[in-house]
Amino acid sequence: MGAVTSNAISIGELSRLSGVSPHTLRFYEAEGVLKPAGRAANGHRRYRREDVLWLEFVLRFKVTGMPLAEIRQYAVLRAQGEKTLQPRLTMLKLHRERLVTKINELSTCAGVLDDKIRTYRKMIAKSRVPAKKAAK
Amino acid sequence: MGAVTSNAISIGELSRLSGVSPHTLRFYEAEGVLKPAGRAANGHRRYRREDVLWLEFVLRFKVTGMPLAEIRQYAVLRAQGEKTLQPRLTMLKLHRERLVTKINELSTCAGVLDDKIRTYRKMIAKSRVPAKKAAK
DNA sequence: TTAAGAGTTGGAGCTCACTCGATGTCAAGA
DNA sequence: TCTTGACATCGAGTGAGCTCCAACTCTTAA
Protein backbone atom coordinates (compact mmCIF):
# COMPACT_ATOMS: atom_id res chain seq x y z
CA MET A 1 0.00 0.00 0.00
CA GLY A 2 1.20 3.53 -0.82
CA ALA A 3 2.88 5.10 2.16
CA VAL A 4 2.99 8.91 2.13
CA THR A 5 1.12 9.26 -1.15
CA SER A 6 -2.26 8.34 0.36
CA ASN A 7 -4.73 10.28 -1.80
CA ALA A 8 -2.73 13.32 -2.88
CA ILE A 9 -3.27 14.53 -6.45
CA SER A 10 -1.15 16.34 -9.01
CA ILE A 11 -1.63 19.88 -10.28
CA GLY A 12 -3.07 18.51 -13.51
CA GLU A 13 -5.64 16.45 -11.64
CA LEU A 14 -6.59 19.37 -9.44
CA SER A 15 -6.90 21.48 -12.57
CA ARG A 16 -9.31 19.00 -14.16
CA LEU A 17 -11.18 18.66 -10.90
CA SER A 18 -11.60 22.39 -10.29
CA GLY A 19 -11.62 23.83 -13.78
CA VAL A 20 -8.75 26.11 -12.85
CA SER A 21 -5.69 25.91 -15.12
CA PRO A 22 -2.36 24.69 -13.69
CA HIS A 23 -0.96 28.11 -14.55
CA THR A 24 -3.58 29.80 -12.46
CA LEU A 25 -3.13 27.36 -9.58
CA ARG A 26 0.57 28.21 -9.43
CA PHE A 27 -0.33 31.89 -9.73
CA TYR A 28 -2.68 31.56 -6.76
CA GLU A 29 0.07 29.92 -4.77
CA ALA A 30 2.47 32.74 -5.65
CA GLU A 31 -0.17 35.25 -4.57
CA GLY A 32 -0.63 33.56 -1.22
CA VAL A 33 -4.20 32.50 -1.92
CA LEU A 34 -3.26 28.83 -1.77
CA LYS A 35 -0.66 27.78 0.74
CA PRO A 36 2.55 26.34 -0.75
CA ALA A 37 1.59 22.84 -1.88
CA GLY A 38 3.36 19.78 -0.55
CA ARG A 39 5.84 18.25 -2.94
CA ALA A 40 6.42 14.72 -4.20
CA ALA A 41 9.98 13.30 -4.26
CA ASN A 42 10.41 14.67 -7.82
CA GLY A 43 9.42 18.19 -6.80
CA HIS A 44 5.92 18.02 -8.28
CA ARG A 45 3.11 19.61 -6.29
CA ARG A 46 0.84 17.23 -4.37
CA TYR A 47 -2.57 18.42 -3.27
CA ARG A 48 -4.42 16.75 -0.45
CA ARG A 49 -8.10 16.62 0.38
CA GLU A 50 -7.97 19.71 2.58
CA ASP A 51 -6.26 21.67 -0.20
CA VAL A 52 -9.06 20.75 -2.59
CA LEU A 53 -11.67 21.87 -0.05
CA TRP A 54 -9.88 25.16 0.52
CA LEU A 55 -9.71 25.76 -3.23
CA GLU A 56 -13.45 25.19 -3.48
CA PHE A 57 -13.96 27.73 -0.74
CA VAL A 58 -11.71 30.21 -2.52
CA LEU A 59 -13.62 29.74 -5.77
CA ARG A 60 -16.85 30.51 -4.00
CA PHE A 61 -15.32 33.71 -2.74
CA LYS A 62 -14.16 34.52 -6.24
CA VAL A 63 -17.54 33.85 -7.81
CA THR A 64 -19.07 36.32 -5.40
CA GLY A 65 -16.63 38.98 -6.52
CA MET A 66 -14.17 39.03 -3.66
CA PRO A 67 -10.81 40.35 -4.90
CA LEU A 68 -7.82 38.02 -4.63
CA ALA A 69 -6.08 40.36 -2.19
CA GLU A 70 -8.93 39.95 0.26
CA ILE A 71 -9.05 36.20 -0.18
CA ARG A 72 -5.33 36.14 0.54
CA GLN A 73 -5.92 38.17 3.68
CA TYR A 74 -8.44 35.60 4.83
CA ALA A 75 -6.00 32.80 3.94
CA VAL A 76 -3.29 34.43 6.02
CA LEU A 77 -5.60 34.68 9.04
CA ARG A 78 -6.63 31.08 8.59
CA ALA A 79 -3.00 29.98 8.57
CA GLN A 80 -2.55 31.65 11.95
CA GLY A 81 -4.99 29.25 13.55
CA GLU A 82 -7.81 29.47 16.08
CA LYS A 83 -6.86 32.81 17.55
CA THR A 84 -8.01 34.53 14.34
CA LEU A 85 -11.54 33.12 14.39
CA GLN A 86 -13.03 36.48 15.35
CA PRO A 87 -11.49 38.60 12.57
CA ARG A 88 -12.37 35.89 10.07
CA LEU A 89 -15.97 35.91 11.24
CA THR A 90 -15.98 39.68 10.81
CA MET A 91 -14.75 39.32 7.24
CA LEU A 92 -17.38 36.71 6.49
CA LYS A 93 -20.17 38.88 7.86
CA LEU A 94 -18.97 41.87 5.91
CA HIS A 95 -18.81 39.88 2.73
CA ARG A 96 -22.25 38.49 3.37
CA GLU A 97 -23.59 42.03 3.55
CA ARG A 98 -21.99 42.98 0.26
CA LEU A 99 -23.29 39.82 -1.31
CA VAL A 100 -26.87 40.50 -0.23
CA THR A 101 -26.58 44.05 -1.55
CA LYS A 102 -25.26 42.75 -4.86
CA ILE A 103 -28.05 40.20 -5.17
CA ASN A 104 -30.66 42.89 -4.59
CA GLU A 105 -29.02 45.16 -7.11
CA LEU A 106 -28.97 42.42 -9.71
CA SER A 107 -32.59 41.52 -9.00
CA THR A 108 -33.61 45.12 -9.59
CA CYS A 109 -31.72 45.13 -12.87
CA ALA A 110 -33.36 41.86 -13.85
CA GLY A 111 -36.74 43.50 -13.27
CA VAL A 112 -35.88 46.49 -15.43
CA LEU A 113 -34.54 44.13 -18.07
CA ASP A 114 -37.81 42.19 -18.06
CA ASP A 115 -39.76 45.40 -18.60
CA LYS A 116 -37.48 46.31 -21.46
CA ILE A 117 -37.92 42.90 -23.03
CA ARG A 118 -41.68 43.18 -22.78
CA THR A 119 -41.57 46.62 -24.42
CA TYR A 120 -39.40 45.28 -27.21
CA ARG A 121 -41.74 42.39 -27.87
CA LYS A 122 -44.64 44.81 -28.20
CA MET A 123 -42.70 47.11 -30.48
CA ILE A 124 -41.72 44.23 -32.71
CA ALA A 125 -45.30 42.93 -32.78
CA LYS A 126 -46.61 46.37 -33.78
CA SER A 127 -44.05 46.83 -36.50
CA ARG A 128 -45.21 43.52 -38.00
CA VAL A 129 -49.00 43.93 -37.98
CA PRO A 130 -49.22 46.86 -40.42
CA ALA A 131 -47.13 44.90 -42.89
CA LYS A 132 -49.65 42.03 -42.76
CA LYS A 133 -52.62 44.38 -43.17
CA ALA A 134 -51.01 46.00 -46.15
CA ALA A 135 -50.50 42.61 -47.70
CA LYS A 136 -54.15 41.68 -47.25
CA MET B 1 -35.35 82.64 -22.92
CA GLY B 2 -32.34 80.47 -23.90
CA ALA B 3 -32.68 79.24 -27.43
CA VAL B 4 -30.65 76.12 -28.28
CA THR B 5 -29.39 75.55 -24.75
CA SER B 6 -32.72 74.18 -23.48
CA ASN B 7 -31.72 71.72 -20.75
CA ALA B 8 -28.38 70.35 -21.93
CA ILE B 9 -25.74 69.76 -19.26
CA SER B 10 -21.97 69.80 -19.20
CA ILE B 11 -19.68 66.81 -18.72
CA GLY B 12 -19.01 67.93 -15.15
CA GLU B 13 -22.70 68.03 -14.37
CA LEU B 14 -23.28 64.64 -15.93
CA SER B 15 -20.37 63.33 -13.92
CA ARG B 16 -21.87 64.58 -10.67
CA LEU B 17 -25.27 63.28 -11.69
CA SER B 18 -24.09 59.81 -12.62
CA GLY B 19 -21.07 59.28 -10.41
CA VAL B 20 -18.95 58.57 -13.47
CA SER B 21 -15.79 60.68 -13.84
CA PRO B 22 -15.46 63.05 -16.81
CA HIS B 23 -12.41 61.05 -17.89
CA THR B 24 -14.47 57.90 -17.98
CA LEU B 25 -17.33 59.59 -19.80
CA ARG B 26 -14.93 60.68 -22.54
CA PHE B 27 -13.46 57.19 -22.50
CA TYR B 28 -16.93 55.70 -23.02
CA GLU B 29 -17.50 58.03 -25.93
CA ALA B 30 -14.18 57.01 -27.47
CA GLU B 31 -15.16 53.36 -27.02
CA GLY B 32 -18.47 53.89 -28.78
CA VAL B 33 -20.53 53.17 -25.68
CA LEU B 34 -21.90 56.71 -25.65
CA LYS B 35 -22.61 58.35 -28.96
CA PRO B 36 -20.50 61.44 -29.70
CA ALA B 37 -21.97 64.17 -27.53
CA GLY B 38 -23.33 67.36 -29.02
CA ARG B 39 -21.06 70.38 -28.59
CA ALA B 40 -21.60 73.91 -27.35
CA ALA B 41 -20.19 76.84 -29.34
CA ASN B 42 -16.95 76.63 -27.35
CA GLY B 43 -16.48 72.95 -28.17
CA HIS B 44 -17.61 71.67 -24.76
CA ARG B 45 -19.77 68.57 -24.68
CA ARG B 46 -23.49 69.09 -24.07
CA TYR B 47 -25.57 66.18 -22.85
CA ARG B 48 -29.32 66.11 -23.29
CA ARG B 49 -32.02 64.23 -21.44
CA GLU B 50 -31.89 61.24 -23.76
CA ASP B 51 -28.12 60.98 -23.29
CA VAL B 52 -28.59 60.87 -19.53
CA LEU B 53 -31.20 58.12 -19.87
CA TRP B 54 -28.96 56.10 -22.15
CA LEU B 55 -26.09 56.43 -19.69
CA GLU B 56 -28.33 55.13 -16.92
CA PHE B 57 -29.20 52.17 -19.09
CA VAL B 58 -25.52 51.54 -19.81
CA LEU B 59 -24.69 51.65 -16.12
CA ARG B 60 -27.35 49.06 -15.41
CA PHE B 61 -25.74 46.83 -18.02
CA LYS B 62 -22.38 47.43 -16.41
CA VAL B 63 -23.59 46.65 -12.91
CA THR B 64 -24.84 43.32 -14.18
CA GLY B 65 -21.39 42.50 -15.51
CA MET B 66 -21.84 43.10 -19.22
CA PRO B 67 -18.46 43.89 -20.80
CA LEU B 68 -18.06 47.26 -22.50
CA ALA B 69 -17.55 45.64 -25.89
CA GLU B 70 -20.99 44.08 -25.69
CA ILE B 71 -22.61 47.29 -24.52
CA ARG B 72 -21.01 49.02 -27.48
CA GLN B 73 -22.43 46.37 -29.77
CA TYR B 74 -25.89 47.08 -28.41
CA ALA B 75 -25.29 50.82 -28.79
CA VAL B 76 -24.30 50.35 -32.42
CA LEU B 77 -27.49 48.39 -33.13
CA ARG B 78 -29.57 51.03 -31.38
CA ALA B 79 -28.01 53.73 -33.52
CA GLN B 80 -29.17 51.84 -36.61
CA GLY B 81 -32.79 52.33 -35.65
CA GLU B 82 -35.95 50.25 -35.68
CA LYS B 83 -34.73 47.59 -38.05
CA THR B 84 -32.41 46.22 -35.35
CA LEU B 85 -35.16 45.66 -32.76
CA GLN B 86 -34.99 41.90 -33.18
CA PRO B 87 -31.24 41.44 -32.62
CA ARG B 88 -31.42 43.81 -29.68
CA LEU B 89 -34.24 41.79 -28.16
CA THR B 90 -32.11 38.68 -28.62
CA MET B 91 -29.23 40.33 -26.78
CA LEU B 92 -31.53 41.41 -23.96
CA LYS B 93 -32.96 37.91 -23.57
CA LEU B 94 -29.52 36.35 -23.57
CA HIS B 95 -28.31 38.77 -20.96
CA ARG B 96 -31.39 38.13 -18.87
CA GLU B 97 -30.54 34.44 -18.86
CA ARG B 98 -26.99 35.08 -17.71
CA LEU B 99 -28.26 37.44 -15.07
CA VAL B 100 -30.69 34.91 -13.65
CA THR B 101 -27.93 32.29 -13.60
CA LYS B 102 -25.64 34.70 -11.80
CA ILE B 103 -28.29 35.57 -9.22
CA ASN B 104 -28.87 31.89 -8.49
CA GLU B 105 -25.16 31.28 -8.18
CA LEU B 106 -24.79 34.17 -5.76
CA SER B 107 -27.76 33.00 -3.72
CA THR B 108 -26.20 29.57 -3.35
CA CYS B 109 -22.95 31.15 -2.21
CA ALA B 110 -24.85 33.31 0.25
CA GLY B 111 -26.37 30.17 1.72
CA VAL B 112 -22.99 28.50 2.11
CA LEU B 113 -21.64 31.68 3.64
CA ASP B 114 -24.47 31.74 6.16
CA ASP B 115 -23.65 28.17 7.19
CA LYS B 116 -20.02 29.11 7.58
CA ILE B 117 -20.89 32.11 9.72
CA ARG B 118 -23.06 29.94 11.96
CA THR B 119 -20.23 27.44 12.35
CA TYR B 120 -17.82 30.21 13.23
CA ARG B 121 -20.13 31.65 15.85
CA LYS B 122 -20.38 28.24 17.49
CA MET B 123 -16.63 27.71 17.39
CA ILE B 124 -16.01 31.09 18.95
CA ALA B 125 -18.63 30.46 21.64
CA LYS B 126 -17.02 27.12 22.50
CA SER B 127 -13.52 28.56 22.68
CA ARG B 128 -14.82 31.12 25.22
CA VAL B 129 -16.70 28.90 27.64
CA PRO B 130 -13.72 26.90 28.92
CA ALA B 131 -11.87 30.15 29.65
CA LYS B 132 -14.76 31.31 31.86
CA LYS B 133 -14.93 27.99 33.65
CA ALA B 134 -11.23 28.06 34.34
CA ALA B 135 -11.55 31.54 35.79
CA LYS B 136 -14.28 30.45 38.19
C1' DT C 1 18.07 5.52 -26.93
C1' DT C 2 14.81 8.39 -27.89
C1' DA C 3 10.56 10.64 -27.61
C1' DA C 4 6.43 11.94 -25.24
C1' DG C 5 4.23 13.81 -21.48
C1' DA C 6 3.73 15.88 -17.07
C1' DG C 7 5.72 18.59 -14.20
C1' DT C 8 9.23 22.73 -12.66
C1' DT C 9 10.80 27.93 -12.72
C1' DG C 10 11.09 32.90 -13.94
C1' DG C 11 9.65 36.39 -16.50
C1' DA C 12 7.18 38.63 -20.22
C1' DG C 13 2.79 39.74 -22.27
C1' DC C 14 -2.19 40.30 -22.53
C1' DT C 15 -7.06 42.13 -21.73
C1' DC C 16 -10.09 45.04 -19.47
C1' DA C 17 -11.50 49.20 -17.70
C1' DC C 18 -10.13 52.79 -16.30
C1' DT C 19 -7.00 56.78 -14.71
C1' DC C 20 -3.72 60.23 -15.07
C1' DG C 21 -0.62 63.77 -16.87
C1' DA C 22 0.76 67.15 -20.11
C1' DT C 23 -0.54 70.79 -22.65
C1' DG C 24 -3.76 73.96 -24.48
C1' DT C 25 -8.18 76.96 -25.05
C1' DC C 26 -11.56 79.93 -23.35
C1' DA C 27 -14.59 82.81 -20.33
C1' DA C 28 -15.53 85.05 -16.04
C1' DG C 29 -14.15 87.48 -11.92
C1' DA C 30 -10.70 90.31 -8.74
C1' DT D 1 -4.00 91.83 -16.51
C1' DC D 2 -3.87 87.80 -14.24
C1' DT D 3 -5.67 83.92 -12.19
C1' DT D 4 -8.93 80.36 -11.69
C1' DG D 5 -11.62 76.73 -13.28
C1' DA D 6 -13.88 73.96 -16.49
C1' DC D 7 -13.30 72.06 -20.49
C1' DA D 8 -10.50 69.95 -24.67
C1' DT D 9 -7.08 66.24 -26.85
C1' DC D 10 -3.65 62.66 -26.87
C1' DG D 11 -0.94 59.22 -25.21
C1' DA D 12 0.91 56.79 -21.48
C1' DG D 13 0.40 54.40 -17.05
C1' DT D 14 -2.06 51.37 -13.65
C1' DG D 15 -3.85 47.23 -11.37
C1' DA D 16 -6.19 42.99 -11.40
C1' DG D 17 -6.09 38.61 -13.00
C1' DC D 18 -4.60 35.79 -15.64
C1' DT D 19 -1.93 33.49 -19.74
C1' DC D 20 1.85 32.20 -22.27
C1' DC D 21 6.70 31.19 -23.32
C1' DA D 22 11.32 29.35 -22.89
C1' DA D 23 14.21 26.32 -20.89
C1' DC D 24 14.71 22.66 -17.98
C1' DT D 25 13.99 17.97 -15.25
C1' DC D 26 11.86 13.42 -14.60
C1' DT D 27 9.59 9.23 -15.66
C1' DT D 28 7.80 5.99 -18.58
C1' DA D 29 6.82 3.52 -22.85
C1' DA D 30 8.30 2.15 -27.61
Side-chain angles (χ1 to χ4, degrees):
Chain A
M1 295 264 144
V4 197
T5 332
S6 69
N7 40 19
I9 60 173
S10 73
I11 197 167
E13 283 163 323
L14 181 57
S15 172
R16 255 160 271 138
L17 216 74
S18 62
V20 177
S21 78
H23 273 304
T24 302
L25 289 171
R26 285 188 279 258
F27 168 74
Y28 283 173
E29 186 176 314
E31 292 294 299
V33 164
L34 305 181
K35 71 166 200 283
R39 298 297 174 118
N42 59 8
H44 289 194
R45 287 174 178 78
R46 291 287 139 197
Y47 296 95
R48 294 183 304 125
R49 175 136 190 75
E50 56 162 309
D51 300 320
V52 179
L53 292 177
W54 169 245
L55 177 59
E56 274 168 16
F57 187 62
V58 163
L59 292 181
R60 225 179 315 265
F61 267 162
K62 267 201 52 58
V63 145
T64 57
M66 188 185 277
L68 284 190
E70 210 165 312
I71 301 179
R72 175 183 49 226
Q73 198 191 323
Y74 186 94
V76 167
L77 287 174
R78 207 178 94 104
Q80 285 165 20
E82 288 242 333
K83 63 179 175 187
T84 64
L85 279 175
Q86 190 61 63
R88 275 185 274 163
L89 175 58
T90 304
M91 284 188 76
L92 292 178
K93 288 198 305 205
L94 220 143
H95 188 58
R96 202 201 94 99
E97 277 321 296
R98 289 190 306 198
L99 192 45
V100 168
T101 304
K102 186 76 187 170
I103 291 173
N104 289 337
E105 202 173 37
L106 292 189
S107 301
T108 304
C109 287
V112 174
L113 199 48
D114 277 345
D115 283 354
K116 196 99 187 170
I117 288 174
R118 235 169 282 125
T119 310
Y120 264 67
R121 280 203 225 276
K122 271 181 213 155
M123 284 169 74
I124 289 173
K126 266 185 195 152
S127 71
R128 277 208 188 116
V129 172
K132 277 205 171 179
K133 272 194 175 171
K136 193 174 158 186
Chain B
M1 294 266 140
V4 197
T5 330
S6 70
N7 39 20
I9 62 173
S10 72
I11 196 167
E13 284 162 323
L14 181 57
S15 171
R16 256 160 271 139
L17 215 76
S18 62
V20 177
S21 79
H23 271 305
T24 302
L25 288 172
R26 284 189 280 257
F27 167 75
Y28 282 173
E29 185 176 315
E31 292 294 299
V33 163
L34 305 181
K35 72 167 201 282
R39 299 297 174 117
N42 59 7
H44 290 193
R45 287 173 179 78
R46 291 286 139 198
Y47 296 95
R48 294 184 302 125
R49 175 134 190 79
E50 56 162 310
D51 300 321
V52 178
L53 292 177
W54 170 245
L55 177 60
E56 275 168 15
F57 187 62
V58 164
L59 292 180
R60 224 181 312 268
F61 267 162
K62 269 202 51 58
V63 146
T64 58
M66 189 185 275
L68 283 191
E70 209 164 312
I71 302 179
R72 175 183 48 226
Q73 198 190 324
Y74 186 93
V76 167
L77 288 174
R78 207 178 94 105
Q80 286 166 16
E82 288 241 332
K83 63 179 176 189
T84 63
L85 279 175
Q86 189 61 64
R88 275 186 274 163
L89 174 59
T90 304
M91 284 186 76
L92 292 177
K93 289 198 307 203
L94 221 143
H95 188 58
R96 201 201 96 99
E97 275 321 296
R98 288 192 306 201
L99 192 45
V100 168
T101 305
K102 186 76 187 170
I103 290 173
N104 289 338
E105 203 173 37
L106 292 189
S107 300
T108 304
C109 287
V112 174
L113 198 49
D114 277 345
D115 284 354
K116 194 101 188 169
I117 287 173
R118 237 170 281 127
T119 311
Y120 263 67
R121 280 203 224 276
K122 271 182 212 156
M123 284 169 73
I124 288 172
K126 264 183 196 153
S127 71
R128 277 209 187 114
V129 171
K132 277 206 171 179
K133 272 194 174 169
K136 193 174 159 185

